[in-house]
Amino acid sequence: MRHAYATHLIEAGVELTEVQSILGHHSILTTVRYTHLTDQSRHHAIDRINALMDRFCLSKGTPR
């Protein structure tokens, strides 16, 4: 049950350190053990990375 709860929180965009606090873990490694990367969270991460990279003009090396 905790695994599903932690994974759903991550998929909803809750930061890992917040999940750690909600679950009452002292170590972030314990929290990581309870979370699982799903296709949805993987795509969400890729979208966020792409959005950050889109802010930069990589050919000129300066922000847009």
Side-chain angles (χ1 to χ4, degrees):
M1 191 79 150
R2 289 175 63 91
H3 293 259
Y5 180 66
T7 300
H8 288 301
L9 289 174
I10 295 296
E11 287 178 344
V14 178
E15 295 291 328
L16 188 60
T17 53
E18 289 296 321
V19 176
Q20 175 187 7
S21 176
I22 291 167
L23 295 178
H25 297 153
H26 295 320
S27 171
I28 196 74
L29 296 176
T30 305
T31 307
V32 170
R33 188 176 312 138
Y34 278 100
T35 60
H36 301 283
L37 185 62
T38 63
D39 287 339
Q40 180 181 352
S41 58
R42 182 179 295 114
H43 290 300
H44 186 67
I46 290 169
D47 290 342
R48 286 187 287 176
I49 291 167
N50 287 334
L52 287 171
M53 295 306 294
D54 285 344
R55 293 183 187 175
F56 297 95
C57 180
L58 297 178
S59 62
K60 294 181 183 176
T62 59
R64 291 185 193 176

